[in-house]
Amino acid sequence: MQKMIYEPLFELEKTGINIAYHTKKGRYSPTHWHSAIELIYVLNGTATISIEGKDHKLVAGEFIVVDSNRIHEAQCTRVSMMVVIHYSRASMQNYMTKIDEYRIYCSRQTLKKEKLNKYLEICSLLKRLPPLYVTRPPGYRLQSQAVAMEVLFELVNHFSVSTDPAGLVNDDTVLERLAEITAYIEAHHREKIVLEDIASRFYLSREYFSRFFRQNMGVTFSRYVNQVRLMHIYHDLCSTGEGVMELAEKHGFANYKLFNRMFWEIYGCKPSDVRKK
């Protein structure tokens, strides 16, 4: 089975903070979630991050935070440069024992006027990361981690709300079921996946499964399956020489017209244009 492209951040638990620099155009992640706190900072282009069904538009110089276990979709196909920081909540407990009692909400689109200056201060901190990555002076990773930690400090103190951890139990149960469903889709996306069959596999009625999936993932079951297929096709277009139609069939698309329409909708270009680039 092909390795999952948007896999869980297991390695993050070893370091506590992971800073990634993305410099290739065409990044897209179907609906997913993870235990890490994620910060996305756009350096060039525009992006749309959908969090629990609500779209957040980002332009160059802006960032957004997606907190732990919030279901989100990242459409960054018009971004050619961005920085993504992941924070492990488990590791951050070494510095702030009660960090699990706080949830961070920070988006430029929903920002209150009185928070604007703090948001811009964090933007200024984030601007320090790319030059460090490019010049790489001795100990640049130390400085990068220090900047990331300072950013988290500002987020916790100015963009968080206190919550009761006990109230998250039901959410964990839902996420466990969704994790089983999405893992099955990932493993079988090349095959024909019928709604009735997968609902039966998880001992649910067709109607309940469909409603449960749409309500919690913010997208229909059939569309999610096709989003996963498109992600794999795009990856193979960039890394193999296989033909477009061959890849569409290989990854489970029986409707070629639908494939072309969804590819354009998500990536903003034709599949053949990816090869030309």
Side-chain angles (χ1 to χ4, degrees):
M1 183 182 72
Q2 183 173 353
K3 190 176 182 181
M4 196 169 180
I5 295 174
Y6 55 102
E7 59 189 2
L9 300 161
F10 296 120
E11 293 299 316
L12 180 63
E13 300 306 325
K14 297 179 181 179
T15 60
I17 298 176
N18 183 65
I19 306 172
Y21 298 84
H22 300 282
T23 57
K24 293 182 179 179
K25 195 171 183 179
R27 184 175 174 83
Y28 170 71
S29 298
T31 310
H32 64 289
W33 67 95
H34 39 68
S35 61
I37 301 168
E38 180 175 8
L39 183 149
I40 301 170
Y41 174 51
V42 174
L43 292 166
N44 182 286
T46 60
T48 300
I49 311 299
S50 180
I51 305 175
E52 295 173 349
K54 181 177 178 58
D55 286 347
H56 299 261
K57 307 289 185 180
L58 291 177
V59 299
E62 294 182 348
F63 74 91
I64 190 171
V65 175
V66 184
D67 208 340
S68 307
N69 295 333
R70 297 195 73 190
I71 295 175
H72 60 287
E73 175 187 358
Q75 190 164 336
C76 307
T77 56
R78 291 176 175 82
V79 174
S80 55
M81 293 181 67
M82 68 179 181
V83 180
V84 179
I85 306 175
H86 288 99
Y87 300 90
S88 162
R89 277 190 173 272
S91 295
M92 292 304 104
Q93 285 180 339
N94 293 322
Y95 307 97
M96 183 179 176
T97 56
K98 295 184 178 181
I99 193 170
D100 280 344
E101 295 180 11
Y102 294 85
R103 285 293 175 269
I104 299 170
Y105 301 92
C106 187
S107 166
R108 178 68 179 86
Q109 190 168 302
T110 58
L111 197 66
K112 293 181 179 179
K113 187 177 180 180
E114 60 269 23
K115 298 286 186 179
L116 178 59
N117 286 338
K118 275 297 173 185
Y119 182 90
L120 295 176
E121 285 179 22
I122 294 175
C123 288
S124 296
L125 287 170
L126 293 169
K127 286 178 184 177
R128 296 169 58 189
L129 292 174
L132 285 170
Y133 177 72
V134 173
T135 59
R136 302 195 178 199
Y140 80 95
R141 285 195 177 94
L142 291 173
Q143 184 66 66
S144 298
Q145 295 270 313
V147 170
M149 289 287 270
E150 189 171 353
V151 167
L152 182 60
F153 173 82
E154 296 295 343
L155 289 171
V156 169
N157 281 276
H158 299 285
F159 295 94
S160 71
V161 296
S162 181
T163 61
D164 180 5
L168 302 175
V169 174
N170 290 335
D171 289 343
D172 289 343
T173 302
V174 169
L175 291 176
E176 286 176 10
R177 172 169 283 181
L178 288 175
E180 293 176 352
I181 294 170
T182 53
Y184 180 86
I185 293 170
E186 174 67 26
H188 298 274
H189 75 272
R190 296 183 179 186
E191 307 164 17
K192 183 179 180 180
I193 305 179
V194 180
L195 179 59
E196 288 82 355
D197 292 343
I198 192 170
S200 175
R201 180 180 182 83
F202 290 96
Y203 307 102
L204 301 171
S205 70
R206 179 185 185 279
E207 292 74 19
Y208 180 85
F209 180 94
S210 181
R211 187 170 61 252
F212 171 81
F213 194 92
R214 176 63 183 268
Q215 180 179 343
N216 290 287
M217 295 291 281
V219 65
T220 64
F221 166 74
S222 60
R223 181 171 177 82
Y224 176 78
V225 173
N226 285 332
Q227 287 174 338
V228 172
R229 288 168 174 161
L230 283 172
M231 181 189 65
H232 283 281
I233 292 169
Y234 187 92
H235 177 266
D236 285 356
L237 281 170
C238 296
S239 58
T240 75
E242 295 180 74
V244 174
M245 290 188 67
E246 184 181 351
L247 286 174
E249 293 175 4
K250 173 183 176 181
H251 288 290
F253 261 103
N255 187 329
Y256 196 65
K257 186 176 180 180
L258 174 63
F259 159 67
N260 278 314
R261 179 167 58 80
M262 284 193 67
F263 195 97
W264 180 273
E265 178 186 333
I266 289 176
Y267 291 102
C269 65
K270 297 177 182 177
S272 57
D273 292 336
V274 176
R275 278 279 163 76
K276 292 174 183 177
K277 295 176 185 177

